[in-house]
Amino acid sequence: MQNLINLVDKKLDEYMPIIYPEDIFKAMKYTVMLPGKRLRPVMCLEIVRILKGDIEKALPTACAIEMLHAQSLIHDDLPCMDNDDFRRGQPSNHKVFGEANAVLAGDALLTFAPQLIIEKSKLPPEIILKLVYEFTKWGGAYALIAGQVVDIESEGGKYEKTPEETLQFIHANKTGALFRLAMRSGAIIAEADENVLEEIDTFAQHFGMAFQIYDDIMDEISSFEELGKTTGKDRNSGKLTYVSLYGLKEAKNKFDSHISKCCDIIEKYDSEIIRNIIEKLQNRLVGV
Ligand code: GRG
């Protein structure tokens, strides 16, 4: 896993030279280069590897997905959204570069990322077209942004659907969408057949749900030092989460159930990296 992370870090650095006007490139690079877990690019590259694709050709897409993720973090931290002063253990983007540059850095990452896929991927044009389609679909209005909108609305206790349906919608879109993008892109780069793509997509949906439930539980039980961001915020803001809706125990049961569906799928493929990621999450929740 560390090899893949190093590869992604090296490429992210290389793809974003700091040129005139430096402020925007520094702001873009700041959040991207902070030490995130790099789960989405690693998942993308690992799917390419297990499906016998070319990892080198997948690097622009893996990095583009991390840029999209960083954009969502920068904008989510803004005072008009989740208003968080810390991210990845450091002051949030707007705390360092100001709100205008943080908004622009997010915008710039969002548009630079597909440019990168088109410019740098040494892949057939029809594969690049599919990758850019997936990128805009999962990062856009009908997925990631829809999840964020309902998340914000739900903080005011405003739901059009039941709390259970609302929460499912938020998690599937806000968190699940980027894991689906990452893993589907890996399968597309490896030119997997439709059945394999669907199976990987099902894995990604369960993983996304499990990961967001994990994040909800960690907000409740963990510390700033461990997470690198303010904890206990969900409870204090009365946010709709798996923990607030179902309680810790039931949230953990739901996490287990999604993880077990992930394990059923991934055991067919030989991926020590994905097994390790799952085990890390499971081990951290022992005793909950
Ligand atoms: C602003 C369009 C827009 C969307 C924002 C993704 C998102 C929606 C907000 C980010 C905040 C958040 C809690 C998202 C849920 C997904 C999640 C748990 C993100 C954190 O992912 P990690 O733990 O972060 O993989 P690192 O820093 O390790 O990459």
Side-chain angles (χ1 to χ4, degrees), residues 62-238:
C63 290
I65 294 168
E66 184 65 14
M67 288 178 193
L68 169 60
H69 172 54
Q71 174 270 329
S72 75
L73 302 178
I74 294 170
H75 282 183
D76 188 61
D77 290 338
L78 286 169
C80 62
M81 296 223 194
D82 214 27
N83 192 18
D84 220 309
D85 290 352
F86 291 94
R87 176 64 65 179
R88 295 178 163 173
Q90 296 297 321
S92 310
N93 200 288
H94 64 276
K95 285 278 155 193
V96 179
F97 298 96
E99 275 183 51
N101 276 333
V103 170
L104 291 168
D107 292 344
L109 285 168
L110 197 53
T111 47
F112 180 58
Q115 177 189 340
L116 189 66
I117 299 176
I118 296 167
E119 266 180 24
K120 303 282 185 194
S121 309
K122 294 192 171 63
L123 290 163
E126 62 276 17
I127 301 280
I128 293 182
L129 186 61
K130 282 187 189 173
L131 292 171
V132 174
Y133 168 71
E134 295 280 334
F135 183 95
T136 51
K137 176 178 171 173
W138 300 111
Y142 293 88
L144 183 65
I145 293 174
Q148 179 75 347
V149 167
V150 178
D151 192 34
I152 292 170
E153 283 178 357
S154 75
E155 268 187 57
K158 218 174 94 189
Y159 324 123
E160 280 174 37
K161 299 168 183 267
T162 65
E164 290 79 6
E165 286 166 343
T166 307
L167 192 56
Q168 155 79 27
F169 184 90
I170 294 171
H171 284 25
N173 287 285
K174 191 180 82 167
T175 313
L178 291 197
F179 285 106
R180 292 180 81 178
L181 168 64
M183 301 183 88
R184 289 176 64 90
S185 299
I188 289 167
I189 291 167
E191 300 192 42
D193 69 36
E194 203 52 42
N195 292 339
V196 173
L197 178 66
E198 284 314 309
E199 195 164 45
I200 297 294
D201 187 61
T202 304
F203 175 96
Q205 290 181 54
H206 286 295
F207 185 82
M209 291 304 291
F211 190 70
Q212 185 55 58
I213 298 172
Y214 173 87
D215 194 69
D216 287 354
I217 296 175
M218 291 300 277
D219 184 76
E220 186 72 24
I221 67 168
S222 184
S223 63
F224 176 87
E225 288 65 33
E226 187 180 6
L227 295 189
K229 61 178 180 179
T230 322
T231 55
K233 264 189 90 190
D234 294 348
R235 183 172 10 94
N236 297 337
S237 64

